[in-house]
Amino acid sequence: MATAAKPEAPVETVVTDVSENAHPWDVSVAAIYVEDRWQPIFKEMREKAPINKVVGSAYGDYWNVTTYKEIQHIEALPDLYSSAKGITIVTDPEELPEDLNIQLPMFIAMDRPEHTEQRRVIAPAFTPSEMERMTEEVRQRTAELLDTLPVGERFDWVDTVSIELTTQMLAILFDFPWEDRRKLTEWSDWMGDIENSLTEESRREQLEHIFEAGAYFQRLWDERLEKGEAPDLISRMINSDMRNMDQFTYMGNLMLLIVGGNDTTRNSMSAYAYGMEQFPEEREKLEQNPELIPAAVQEIVRWQTPLAHMRRTATEDHEMFGHKVKEGDAIILWYLSGNRDENFFDRPNDIWLERPKPGRHLSFGYGIHRCVGARLAELQLRLLLEEMAKRRLRVNVIGEPKRVPACFVHGYTKMEVELSTY
Ligand code: HEM
């Protein structure tokens, strides 16, 4: 029987009362993210019981894992902690009617060896030399957008900047018809919203959007078959071992790239605006020292943690840091909390541009599933910050932003801002 190492800190298992369904450590509840009050809840867990079990949540029973080293440890054992039963807190929707219980196969939700084979096809699109190749186009698009923004007038940063730039990026990556690019945003939002799994009606609506995306991408696939080798991701798949994959696998992997690259980078761009507003001294430091931009990118991604969690499923009965875990148990790795772990980070709640070793965060995960698009996300953010600095533009956030109501995508739906120059 496999055994995960025991941590030094004492841990206890908390089993909640199912009838109440309102346990203070049930951090699957969307309200705590909309109202931005998750911080003290996770802090309490890290102090009192870094690993604990919640029973009877809207998503069923699950284990919370809240500390940095324990999350890393679990991610380093992919045979014991599988991704194949899903990567969010949503468990197999067995109660849904059969026509609604459709799972697209995606390599993020696969184990070895299938995961390795499929990741290998995609990974060459994200090498440092590919990033070089794309830099000028992304920089130019970013510059063009910034040049259209009004200074001294209110507008929504999320829609005008974060969504537009990330959607443009995906359109470049897929060589997707430019005028239809907002469809990518729409499909991604439907796919990434795990709350849709909670009712039959919303699940049905979600599937309609997935099928619409499926038909659209099938058309693109047929067109690209004629085109021969090209660097866009669809052509890459066609000209690889994935050529003979079934339509579901093709769709699943495309959807993975759309969802993976969309909400996450979008919310990092919004976090740049909001985070700098929260730490005005750091903002000034950044404005005076543009060489801090690469560190700022890392800090913003850590501080925001655009995906609050990933889930693993135990493949056998074993002891996990002293807790008896059963085969099939859902284990939720809360990156959001690991990135604020005071035993790993000094001043974890601050954006601190001179933080020693700024890239050591969990936002991109760890181990064999570590985000394949991390370099691209960092590139987009770096170029945004560089082009803002060139124009000496500052984003001033007005009031509180509106936040995504979910425990998976951690971000903003609306953020009123006004630009000024410095
Ligand atoms: C700041 C932006 C981003 C964040 C925070 C982020 C976060 C993550 C996380 C947490 C994982 C799972 C890691 C794990 O299970 O250990 C992941 C995997 C993945 N991400 Fe990202 N991501 C970002 C941007 C992107 C972009 C731009 C793309 C592509 C366009 C992308 C595509 C993927 C893919 C394909 C996977 C699956 C990798 C695998 O299973 O091997 N991501 N990402």
Side-chain angles (χ1 to χ4, degrees):
M1 183 186 288
T3 307
K6 216 172 167 124
E8 282 155 28
V11 288
E12 65 190 59
T13 302
V14 175
V15 180
T16 56
D17 179 354
V18 184
S19 60
E20 270 187 288
N21 198 18
H23 188 275
W25 290 352
D26 178 7
V27 276
S28 71
V29 175
I32 68 171
Y33 304 95
V34 185
E35 293 157 17
D36 196 29
R37 54 183 175 81
W38 52 271
Q39 298 87 337
I41 308 173
F42 281 107
K43 186 172 194 305
E44 186 181 62
M45 282 197 267
R46 286 194 301 274
E47 279 167 12
K48 295 189 176 160
I51 295 182
N52 62 77
K53 189 171 184 181
V54 172
V55 176
S57 85
Y59 298 99
D61 307 347
Y62 63 89
W63 290 91
N64 283 317
V65 182
T66 62
T67 36
Y68 188 102
K69 288 200 169 137
E70 284 66 21
I71 292 173
Q72 249 187 5
H73 186 98
I74 289 170
E75 289 226 60
L77 297 171
D79 298 327
L80 183 55
Y81 301 105
S82 163
S83 295
K85 291 248 184 277
I87 46 102
T88 73
I89 199 164
V90 178
T91 40
D92 276 348
E94 277 157 18
E95 282 138 41
L96 284 175
E98 213 174 289
D99 64 324
L100 296 186
N101 196 357
I102 296 167
Q103 304 298 313
L104 286 173
M106 301 179 174
F107 68 86
I108 197 171
M110 289 178 192
D111 294 330
R112 296 181 285 198
E114 293 84 1
H115 165 261
T116 322
E117 282 162 25
Q118 297 198 12
R119 181 174 165 122
R120 202 177 283 145
V121 174
I122 302 297
F126 301 95
T127 56
S129 59
E130 273 302 293
M131 296 303 103
E132 279 285 323
R133 191 183 64 77
M134 281 193 270
T135 298
E136 265 329 291
E137 184 169 5
V138 180
R139 185 187 292 287
Q140 193 195 328
R141 298 267 184 209
T142 307
E144 275 168 17
L145 180 86
L146 294 188
D147 287 337
T148 65
L149 299 178
V151 176
E153 272 176 42
R154 283 184 181 208
F155 66 92
D156 176 19
W157 180 265
V158 173
D159 190 65
T160 317
V161 178
S162 312
I163 292 185
E164 187 52 29
L165 285 180
T166 37
T167 305
Q168 288 188 3
M169 181 70 248
L170 285 177
I172 294 171
L173 211 54
F174 290 114
D175 195 9
F176 192 85
W178 199 250
E179 62 287 358
D180 281 351
R181 65 187 183 280
R182 282 282 172 140
K183 283 188 188 295
L184 293 168
T185 321
E186 199 186 307
W187 295 332
S188 163
D189 286 350
W190 274 99
M191 282 286 292
D193 185 353
I194 64 168
E195 298 272 306
N196 283 321
S197 66
L198 292 177
T199 71
E200 238 185 86
E201 200 190 336
S202 57
R203 175 67 180 149
R204 203 173 285 283
E205 213 177 330
Q206 185 186 37
L207 279 177
E208 277 169 22
H209 286 85
I210 294 173
F211 290 141
E212 188 203 352
Y216 198 110
F217 274 111
Q218 188 57 49
R219 235 181 28 244
L220 289 186
W221 175 273
D222 294 341
E223 284 167 21
R224 301 285 154 90
L225 271 176
E226 314 282 307
K227 197 172 143 185
E229 292 216 4
D232 71 89
L233 273 170
I234 301 173
S235 301
R236 267 178 208 278
M237 288 189 193
I238 290 177
N239 295 299
S240 74
D241 294 342
M242 279 174 133
R243 186 189 302 107
N244 299 321
M245 71 191 147
D246 61 78
Q247 202 197 353
F248 272 117
T249 311
Y250 164 58
M251 269 310 296
N253 284 319
L254 278 180
M255 278 303 182
L256 166 60
L257 287 158
I258 297 170
V259 180
N262 198 16
D263 292 318
T264 50
T265 318
R266 173 200 306 180
N267 286 315
S268 308
M269 289 180 175
S270 301
Y272 151 62
Y274 186 64
M276 291 287 96
E277 184 74 35
Q278 304 309 302
F279 298 94
E281 283 172 20
E282 295 297 293
R283 176 164 67 188
E284 217 178 305
K285 226 188 270 169
L286 183 63
E287 290 170 353
Q288 301 312 319
N289 306 283
E291 67 279 8
L292 285 174
I293 287 175
V297 167
Q298 300 289 349
E299 262 301 83
I300 289 162
V301 173
R302 180 193 65 86
W303 183 79
Q304 178 59 32
T305 317
L307 293 181
H309 76 261
M310 280 279 152
R311 171 257 186 113
R312 297 292 185 263
T313 305
T315 56
E316 56 182 89
D317 295 359
H318 70 286
E319 276 211 4
M320 178 176 75
F321 297 104
H323 296 274
K324 286 194 174 14
V325 166
K326 293 262 173 223
E327 179 186 345
D329 278 4
I331 294 156
I332 312 299
L333 310 173
W334 291 103
Y335 298 145
L336 193 62
S337 176
N339 275 340
R340 300 292 178 101
D341 184 346
E342 34 294 277
N343 285 325
F344 193 83
F345 296 104
D346 289 338
R347 298 167 48 191
N349 294 315
D350 295 352
I351 290 185
W352 175 20
L353 300 182
E354 281 137 332
R355 179 180 296 287
K357 301 187 185 151
R360 294 172 77 201
H361 59 70
L362 291 171
S363 298
F364 293 123
Y366 183 77
I368 63 167
H369 287 280
R370 187 178 188 274
C371 179
V372 79
R375 279 196 202 99
L376 182 59
E378 289 168 353
L379 174 73
Q380 292 176 82
L381 271 172
R382 176 169 65 76
L383 294 177
L384 171 62
L385 269 60
E386 283 178 6
E387 292 304 308
M388 289 291 287
K390 258 190 216 165
R391 290 162 181 73
R392 301 184 69 80
L393 279 176
R394 174 186 294 176
V395 200
N396 305 283
V397 178
I398 301 163
E400 272 299 289
K402 286 204 169 57
R403 296 180 163 85
V404 176
C407 69
F408 181 56
V409 171
H410 181 233
Y412 312 88
T413 54
K414 202 171 169 58
M415 190 181 294
E416 274 217 82
V417 303
E418 204 175 280
L419 295 182
S420 58
T421 49
Y422 57 87

